[in-house]
Amino acid sequence: MGNLLELQQKINYDKTFDCVQCGYCLPACPTYETMERETHSPRGRINLVKMVAEEKASIEDLKDPIEKCLGCMACTTVCPTNVQYGQILEGAKEIIEENKSKGSLHKKAEDFLFQAFFPSSKWMQRLGEATWFYQRTGVQRLAQLMKITDVSPLHLGVFEKVIPPQPSPKIRKQRVERYMRKRPAKAKAAFFTGCIMDGVFFDTNQNTIELLLRSGLEVILPKQQTCCGALHAHSGKVDESRELAKRNIVAFQDEEVDYIINNAGGCGARLVEYHHLFEEGTEWYERAVEFQKKVKDISEVLVEVDGLTFPHAVHQTITYQPSCHMTNVQKVKSPPLELLKKVPGLTFKELKRPDFCCGSAGIYNIVNHEESMDILDVKMNDVCSVAPDQVVTTNPGCLLQMKVGIEREGKTKEMSAVHLVDLLMEAEPSGKE
Ligand code: SF4
Ligand code: SF4
């Protein structure tokens, strides 16, 4: 590590003074609730960052509390002094990342994943195609019968069970870059397809395009778009995240559009915060601000455009698990609920604690699996007390996590989890022309 001043700047030492130690954030923090340690609370983490910046604690002391933070930002919604916890967290992660041993196998594998795998739409499509092959050829059945999936690394067997059936490579190839309308369009939208959404939830992405078209919008999928960089930033790889932000800003600003639409709460939260990656007053900062003004979740646009009717009743009891990033960072709260109210036949039951994170948090449920499952168990207690037919979510990570939770509870016959977009399509929406 360079000099102390450099460390203090990177770790956002100045921002730690906004914390007045009141503790209002403690009841909002899932990791404080499940781990019952001050160091694993927002206040404790901020204190540790401050102590590292004052050389009273080591970066090693910071590692576990920071790595066990979900980044759900529930603490920021209750903080009376508006502490910029997100920036403090990102700075701490960057410092931890810089101190990792560069030659280790773990680091090399991680670098490959973040530099080559996630930013590549080709790799994501290959992942979807390989999963299709695995599901369709009987390999999955064999692997499950032989219990190979039970011993797969990184708990991947847990997630393998809940990945939805994949479309064939032929269907994937039928996608086009521009979806035009015969009649004049109400607005022009560019769709941010995401990595995991496009790899694993390709059908949901196609349903998103369909909803926009039926609402009267023209939809384009900028070819040069890439990963939003959220996973990179959450892992302390801020430089890589910044490069991806630049690539997306260029890809989307090359098109004259009214909206930049996403259907993944975690990605959307990153897209609206791109300007934090650049110094205020620079050209990239200004471009990021312009970019961010057009970023919308699909639910916001569907409500704003108000172009759909839902003629087909869906007779189900549902509950809604909001994405933390969509609620706490994008501040999108009511649009999904407004859309659900329009679907005839639905009975809505609210969770007791909808704002409590499900424990998915990017790749938290893979790298901190046990801790994530403890948090999921709290969430599932709430879900089971509501006993819905479907749990509606708006983020791929939350969707997979809710599916895992339903499996863990042995409730797969009684309930399932669904993306909002797919549920809306069940109501056979048509355009208000
Ligand atoms: S609520 Fe805000 S000011 Fe109070 S302890 Fe938590 S972070 Fe600090
Ligand atoms: S981001 Fe979430 S897990 Fe992390 S300190 Fe805040 S409330 Fe706790």
Side-chain angles (χ1 to χ4, degrees):
M1 180 55 53
N3 62 42
L4 188 59
L5 199 63
E6 192 190 331
L7 168 74
Q8 289 177 343
Q9 271 171 359
K10 247 185 199 165
I11 213 165
N12 289 303
Y13 179 50
D14 56 335
K15 292 191 173 19
T16 63
F17 289 94
D18 294 335
C19 176
V20 295
Q21 307 288 306
C22 65
Y24 287 168
C25 52
L26 301 186
C29 177
T31 58
Y32 181 63
E33 180 169 328
T34 53
M35 297 174 198
E36 297 178 329
R37 278 186 281 168
E38 174 71 16
T39 49
H40 291 63
S41 74
R43 182 175 66 185
R45 290 176 173 121
I46 293 168
N47 269 336
L48 269 172
V49 166
K50 192 186 266 180
M51 287 167 73
V52 169
E54 291 168 354
E55 295 186 309
K56 293 176 185 157
S58 69
I59 292 171
E60 200 50 39
D61 296 328
L62 195 59
K63 202 165 173 271
D64 192 65
I66 291 295
E67 287 181 349
K68 297 281 159 64
C69 172
L70 293 152
C72 67
M73 300 302 141
C75 48
T76 61
T77 63
V78 291
C79 177
T81 62
N82 196 23
V83 173
Q84 299 299 298
Y85 180 76
Q87 290 181 43
I88 295 173
L89 177 67
E90 233 163 69
K93 287 195 168 177
E94 193 178 359
I95 295 293
I96 292 168
E97 172 66 17
E98 282 177 7
N99 275 269
K100 278 186 186 161
S101 148
K102 295 211 168 30
S104 73
L105 201 60
H106 175 85
K107 177 91 172 77
K108 281 183 185 158
E110 200 184 271
D111 287 348
F112 166 76
L113 270 180
F114 284 104
Q115 285 164 15
F117 188 69
F118 285 118
S120 162
S121 59
K122 273 197 194 120
W123 271 105
M124 284 297 140
Q125 294 304 319
R126 298 282 174 279
L127 171 71
E129 288 169 10
T131 311
W132 172 80
F133 182 82
Y134 174 72
Q135 291 174 334
R136 289 298 295 270
T137 54
V139 179
Q140 181 175 36
R141 237 178 91 69
L142 191 67
Q144 287 176 350
L145 276 173
M146 293 174 72
K147 299 198 182 300
I148 295 170
T149 50
D150 293 354
V151 292
S152 56
L154 296 170
H155 310 279
L156 292 179
V158 174
F159 301 98
E160 173 266 353
K161 283 194 198 106
V162 298
I163 288 178
Q166 295 298 303
S168 69
K170 193 175 159 200
I171 289 177
R172 284 180 185 267
K173 286 196 179 89
Q174 283 166 2
R175 173 188 272 170
V176 296
E177 276 169 48
R178 282 173 197 270
Y179 292 83
M180 313 301 277
R181 287 174 50 84
K182 289 196 185 92
R183 298 184 190 196
K186 287 180 188 164
K188 195 170 168 185
F191 179 36
F192 179 82
T193 54
C195 311
I196 302 296
M197 275 311 298
D198 223 33
V200 178
F201 295 103
F202 185 85
D203 288 341
T204 307
N205 271 358
Q206 291 306 104
N207 280 341
T208 303
I209 296 169
E210 192 56 39
L211 284 173
L212 292 169
L213 287 171
R214 290 188 198 183
S215 296
L217 274 72
E218 191 175 304
V219 187
I220 58 168
L221 281 61
K223 207 173 174 191
Q224 303 305 326
Q225 64 178 296
T226 184
C227 168
C228 67
L231 294 178
H232 300 73
H234 298 166
S235 306
K237 298 174 191 305
V238 178
D239 289 342
E240 283 97 326
S241 186
R242 191 177 295 113
E243 285 313 306
L244 293 171
K246 284 183 181 174
R247 281 168 59 186
N248 276 325
I249 290 169
V250 171
F252 283 86
Q253 285 182 341
D254 275 353
E255 302 280 354
E256 293 269 311
V257 293
D258 305 294
Y259 300 115
I260 297 169
I261 294 173
N262 75 87
N263 59 6
C267 300
R270 194 69 204 160
L271 300 178
V272 299
E273 291 213 312
Y274 271 174
H275 55 292
H276 288 323
L277 291 164
F278 305 103
E279 207 175 310
E280 225 172 310
T282 60
E283 188 200 333
W284 279 110
Y285 180 87
E286 298 305 330
R287 289 182 75 172
V289 168
E290 287 310 306
F291 173 90
Q292 168 256 321
K293 283 180 191 162
K294 292 183 181 174
V295 172
K296 302 260 181 208
D297 182 76
I298 173 76
S299 61
E300 286 181 284
V301 176
L302 294 181
V303 168
E304 199 172 303
V305 174
D306 191 23
L308 294 175
T309 58
F310 297 90
H312 179 72
V314 181
H315 294 289
Q316 287 181 356
T317 299
I318 55 155
T319 193
Y320 174 52
Q321 166 55 32
S323 144
C324 299
H325 285 110
M326 190 163 138
T327 311
N328 302 334
V329 181
Q330 290 189 73
K331 311 285 182 204
V332 177
K333 293 179 189 169
S334 64
L337 296 168
E338 285 174 50
L339 289 168
L340 290 171
K341 272 188 204 150
K342 292 186 181 187
V343 176
L346 287 181
T347 303
F348 177 70
K349 286 192 183 171
E350 194 176 12
L351 293 173
K352 282 191 199 81
R353 300 172 72 192
D355 298 334
F356 188 87
C357 179
C358 65
S360 159
I363 51 171
Y364 189 96
N365 53 2
I366 295 175
V367 295
N368 296 305
H369 190 69
E370 315 305 334
E371 292 81 358
S372 164
M373 293 300 115
D374 288 345
I375 293 163
L376 177 60
D377 289 345
V378 178
K379 174 58 68 184
M380 288 312 296
N381 272 338
D382 197 357
V383 170
C384 290
S385 70
V386 167
D389 300 311
Q390 297 223 69
V391 184
V392 183
T393 72
T394 50
N395 184 53
C398 309
L399 184 51
L400 284 176
Q401 184 83 338
M402 295 318 301
K403 284 172 183 276
V404 168
I406 292 167
E407 275 277 336
R408 277 169 72 83
E409 295 290 332
K411 299 267 185 198
T412 50
K413 290 204 172 75
E414 291 102 311
M415 64 174 89
S416 57
V418 64
H419 193 289
L420 171 72
V421 159
D422 296 329
L423 181 61
L424 293 178
M425 284 301 283
E426 282 182 45
E428 299 172 10
S430 56
K432 289 182 188 168
E433 296 284 352

